[in-house]
């Protein structure tokens, strides 16, 4: 909060002498806000009135931080409709122009704005409150004049006026800040490109259908939105279509997620199957390969079987039964396979000899 004047607190009023002014009224001007725990005060509601003589400063003096007994009072004005970052950056520049500055912000009323500029989205009370809650603002002047007069500058002890340097033509003038510039009280600030109140309104007008549909969905009536009956039905139908699109989109995303999970699992299964198949093939080759265990086992068993089925040779010292070793009896049905008969006559001769042999034995 601004500090009260020393003379006002003591009840003595305004000091009479020059020495008393400099001694007793030192630091009696409103000081910049050091904390941001409360909104900025309105100029017509503050109880502090600067009683120190207001000496004219140059920009060079203000940038050096003089005078030491009071801050440099900088004034910025505007409409500030739909308060946005561009407004805040302009006020930040105005606040930081000098080392020790006190920023007063003038806001024009609805009557002046509608007369010289046009209809606003926010009313004057809303615009005043928006400025009070900006961190760079020390004081808000309501119902500020459209053109700054010497009386207004003297009343609020304004040292400099901050605004962008683009000529502002209005109220029949090519530049409403021309006389301020000629007096050496104008300090320019830079505009923030890409954002302005007109740009925001243009976006709303361009996307009117979208915002109307959104507010209908949030519960606003067609009358409140100034929407016709046909457009209301059209917007509600479009909202239903958008809901269906959103559901389809969600289903598609879920299906994609499911397919992705299946692909991951199938990849893991294929990898595990390959590992198992390699292990199976390795085990199979170890068992049934060219040098596998099964071949060695088969060779061992086949050797044992050959030994089991092969006939044993008779010993050389076995006794004979009185028969001639040169002739061994053979059964009559055994046919000599080593020398088969070359003709039928030979075959009959062999049969007759066999019969004769049998008779001799008898």
């Amino acid at each position: 909060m601004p500090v009260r004047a020393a003379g006002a607190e003591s009840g003595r009023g305004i000091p009479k002498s020059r020495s008393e002014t400099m001694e007793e009224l030192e630091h009696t001007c409103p000081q910049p806000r050091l904390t941001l725990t409360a909104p900025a005060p309105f100029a017509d509601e503050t109880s502090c009135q600067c009683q120190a003589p207001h000496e004219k400063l140059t920009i060079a003096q203000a940038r050096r931080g003089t005078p030491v007994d009071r801050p440099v009072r900088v004034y910025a004005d505007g409409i500030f409709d739909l308060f946005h970052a561009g407004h805040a950056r302009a006020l930040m520049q105005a606040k930081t122009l000098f080392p020790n500055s006190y920023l007063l912000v003038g806001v024009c009323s609805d009557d002046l704005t509608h007369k010289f500029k046009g209809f606003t989205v926010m009313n004057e009370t809303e615009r005043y409150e928006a400025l009070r809650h900006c961190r760079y603002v020390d004081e808000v002047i309501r119902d500020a004049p459209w053109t700054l007069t010497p009386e207004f500058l003297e009343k609020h002890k304004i040292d400099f006026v901050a605004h962008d340097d683009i000529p502002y033509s209005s109220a029949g003038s090519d530049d409403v800040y021309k006389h301020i510039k000629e007096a050496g009280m104008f300090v320019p600030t830079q505009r923030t490109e890409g954002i302005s109140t007109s740009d925001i309104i243009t976006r709303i007008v361009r996307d009117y259908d979208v915002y109307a549909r959104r507010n209908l969905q949030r519960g606003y009536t067609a009358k409140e939105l100034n929407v016709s009956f046909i457009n209301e039905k059209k917007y509600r139908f479009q909202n239903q279509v958008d809901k269906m699109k959103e559901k389809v989109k969600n289903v598609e995303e879920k299906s994609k997620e499911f397919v992705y999970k299946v692909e991951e699992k199938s990849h893991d299964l294929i990898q595990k199957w390959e590992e198992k198949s390699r292990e199976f093939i390795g085990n199979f080759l170890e068992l049934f390969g060219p040098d596998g265990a099964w071949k060695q086992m088969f060779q061992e068993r086949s050797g044992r079987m050959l030994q089991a089925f092969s006939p044993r040779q008779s010993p050389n010292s076995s006794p004979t039964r009185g028969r001639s070793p040169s002739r061994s009896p053979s059964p009559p049905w055994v046919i000599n396979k080593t020398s088969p008969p070359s003709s039928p006559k030979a075959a009959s001769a062999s049969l007759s000899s066999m019969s004769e042999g049998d008779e001799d034995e008898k």
Side-chain angles (χ1 to χ4, degrees):
M1 294 293 293
V3 182
R4 282 180 173 270
E9 290 180 355
S10 60
R12 295 184 302 168
I14 302 176
K16 298 180 181 180
S17 66
R18 178 70 175 177
S19 60
E20 287 181 345
T21 299
M22 298 307 297
E23 292 176 0
E24 297 181 10
L25 295 182
E26 186 177 2
H27 303 296
T28 59
C29 291
Q31 299 297 317
R33 291 191 297 164
L34 299 179
T35 61
L36 301 174
T37 57
F42 290 119
D44 53 355
E45 292 179 352
T46 179
S47 59
C48 174
Q49 297 294 329
C50 180
Q51 304 295 338
H54 189 73
E55 298 179 358
K56 188 174 181 180
L57 299 174
T58 64
I59 295 178
Q61 289 174 332
R63 285 177 177 168
R64 286 197 300 267
T66 55
V68 296
D69 61 330
R70 66 175 180 86
V72 179
R73 295 173 67 85
V74 180
Y75 176 80
D77 60 354
I79 309 302
F80 302 105
D81 192 18
L82 297 176
F83 189 80
H84 52 74
H87 294 142
R89 289 179 64 87
L91 296 176
M92 178 187 70
Q93 294 177 60
K95 176 68 175 178
T96 57
L97 285 171
F98 308 108
N100 183 24
S101 61
Y102 185 87
L103 181 60
L104 302 93
V105 179
V107 184
C108 299
S109 64
D110 286 345
D111 292 338
L112 279 178
T113 305
H114 298 167
K115 179 180 179 181
F116 294 110
K117 191 169 184 178
F119 191 73
T120 58
V121 178
M122 301 169 64
N123 59 44
E124 59 184 22
T125 303
E126 294 169 337
R127 293 185 284 115
Y128 298 153
E129 287 298 321
L131 265 298
R132 291 186 69 197
H133 291 83
C134 179
R135 64 185 300 175
Y136 309 113
V137 179
D138 294 304
E139 188 174 309
V140 175
I141 301 176
R142 294 182 286 193
D143 193 13
W146 197 262
T147 302
L148 300 179
T149 61
E151 292 79 14
F152 178 83
L153 297 175
E154 178 63 26
K155 176 182 177 182
H156 295 281
K157 304 293 188 292
I158 295 172
D159 294 308
F160 300 100
V161 177
H163 200 272
D164 62 82
D165 202 14
I166 301 174
Y168 192 81
S169 59
S170 179
S173 173
D174 294 335
D175 188 1
V176 294
Y177 298 103
K178 183 179 179 180
H179 63 290
I180 304 295
K181 294 176 181 178
E182 292 175 350
M185 299 175 62
F186 186 85
V187 184
T189 58
Q190 299 295 323
R191 292 179 63 91
T192 302
E193 297 296 333
I195 184 169
S196 66
T197 302
S198 299
D199 292 337
I200 296 174
I201 294 174
T202 301
R203 295 180 208 170
I204 297 173
V205 173
R206 181 190 60 197
D207 301 326
Y208 171 76
D209 291 352
V210 177
Y211 298 123
R213 287 163 50 192
R214 182 187 67 179
N215 288 342
L216 283 173
Q217 193 172 4
R218 290 182 175 180
Y220 288 88
T221 64
K223 184 177 180 181
E224 290 174 332
L225 298 174
N226 195 23
V227 173
S228 65
F229 176 80
I230 296 176
N231 286 336
E232 179 189 4
K233 299 302 178 184
K234 181 181 74 173
Y235 294 152
R236 294 191 183 279
F237 176 75
Q238 288 175 347
N239 287 335
Q240 295 297 325
V241 172
D242 289 344
K243 287 182 180 179
M244 291 299 297
K245 288 181 179 179
E246 189 67 24
K247 288 182 179 179
V248 171
K249 184 179 179 181
N250 292 335
V251 171
E252 288 180 353
E253 291 179 353
K254 290 181 180 179
S255 61
K256 288 180 180 179
E257 184 178 357
F258 175 74
V259 171
Y260 179 72
K261 289 182 179 179
V262 170
E263 287 179 352
E264 282 187 343
K265 289 185 177 180
S266 62
H267 179 72
D268 294 340
L269 290 174
I270 291 172
Q271 188 174 1
K272 290 180 180 179
W273 182 83
E274 288 178 351
E275 293 175 357
K276 293 293 183 182
S277 62
R278 292 193 196 99
E279 183 179 356
F280 175 77
I281 292 171
N283 294 335
F284 182 84
L285 292 176
E286 288 180 1
L287 187 61
F288 298 103
D291 299 325
W294 178 260
K295 182 178 180 181
Q296 295 177 2
M297 183 178 64
F298 179 76
Q299 288 177 352
E300 292 177 359
R301 290 189 178 181
S302 61
R304 291 177 185 175
M305 291 176 65
L306 289 174
Q307 291 179 2
F309 287 106
S310 61
R312 296 180 180 178
Q313 295 181 359
S314 301
N316 296 328
S317 61
S318 61
T320 57
R321 293 184 179 182
R323 291 185 180 180
S324 175
S326 62
R327 183 180 179 184
S328 60
S330 59
W333 60 83
V334 177
I335 302 174
N336 189 6
K337 295 181 180 179
T338 58
S339 59
S342 59
S343 63
K345 292 181 178 180
S348 61
S350 63
L351 288 173
S352 61
S353 64
M354 289 175 61
S355 61
E356 290 176 357
D358 292 335
E359 289 177 354
D360 291 338
E361 289 181 359
K362 292 178 180 179

